[in-house]
Amino acid sequence: GDIELDQIYLGSCTNGRIEDLQQAANIIQGKKINPRTRLVVVPASQEIFVTAMNKGLIQIFVESGAAIATASCGACYGGHLGILASGETCLSTTNRNFIGRMGDPKSKLYLGSPSVAAASALVSFTHLTLPPSGPVLMFGGGRLFKKKNNIYNCTQFQSPT
């Protein structure tokens, strides 16, 4: 069924590389983040932050409604900027999702690729189905993501209108 998302966490030391930010920016460019969902973008390093600024990626994220954080450890270890409250649900590009990892033990955390995170930020939900061919993430009934090597990657995306 649908999984309503309160927050999308894109980046940190995992999946905050310039290639990851570019992948997400390509999906988000010219669109607005769903007002129900927070998007927190965390480049993996200051060097990547500067490169992302020079390539215009930071501007794309800011114009979409994302919050941009400085390169550092943050919500992914439950520290600051993006920690989850009780009952909140997050899709994150970080590398761990055990109970309480990003905040309250009653929050929920799902992991996905930067492209899945970007698309999810636009629609504020994901829908996971388990067809015979294996797990596929769906948005509005259209196939968008396929699982390969335990990671969902974007195969196509049509922005909601």
Side-chain angles (χ1 to χ4, degrees):
D2 289 348
I3 301 167
E4 293 286 333
L5 299 171
D6 299 293
Q7 177 171 285
I8 310 295
Y9 196 82
L10 172 65
S12 82
C13 62
T14 306
N15 289 331
R17 300 166 298 201
I18 195 66
E19 297 86 358
D20 303 318
L21 299 179
Q22 183 70 66
Q23 186 180 88
N26 288 343
I27 292 170
I28 289 175
Q29 187 169 19
K31 301 172 185 76
K32 293 289 185 185
I33 302 306
N34 188 293
R36 188 198 173 292
T37 303
R38 302 180 303 273
L39 172 61
V40 179
V41 178
V42 185
S45 68
Q46 291 294 82
E47 181 180 349
I48 291 171
F49 191 105
V50 170
T51 301
M53 281 194 318
N54 291 337
K55 288 184 166 220
L57 305 181
I58 299 298
Q59 182 173 349
I60 289 169
F61 291 125
V62 169
E63 288 175 355
S64 75
I68 312 300
T70 188
S72 68
C73 290
C76 54
Y77 81 95
H80 59 87
L81 189 59
I83 58 172
L84 301 172
S86 178
E88 285 193 312
T89 302
C90 177
L91 186 136
S92 176
T93 64
T94 59
N95 60 358
R96 294 180 181 96
N97 68 341
F98 54 84
I99 294 172
R101 175 68 180 181
M102 288 183 72
D104 193 281
K106 292 183 180 172
S107 63
K108 294 178 185 167
L109 177 61
Y110 297 89
L111 301 181
S113 70
S115 56
V116 170
S120 297
L122 298 175
V123 296
S124 86
F125 70 90
T126 63
H127 183 86
L128 183 61
T129 62
L130 298 172
S133 61
V136 175
L137 261 145
M138 310 281 282
F139 287 92
R143 174 186 269 173
L144 295 175
F145 304 96
K146 289 187 174 183
K147 188 174 182 180
K148 181 178 180 183
N149 299 327
N150 290 323
I151 296 186
Y152 289 95
N153 287 297
C154 188
T155 57
Q156 58 179 318
F157 182 71
Q158 290 291 326
S159 178
T161 53

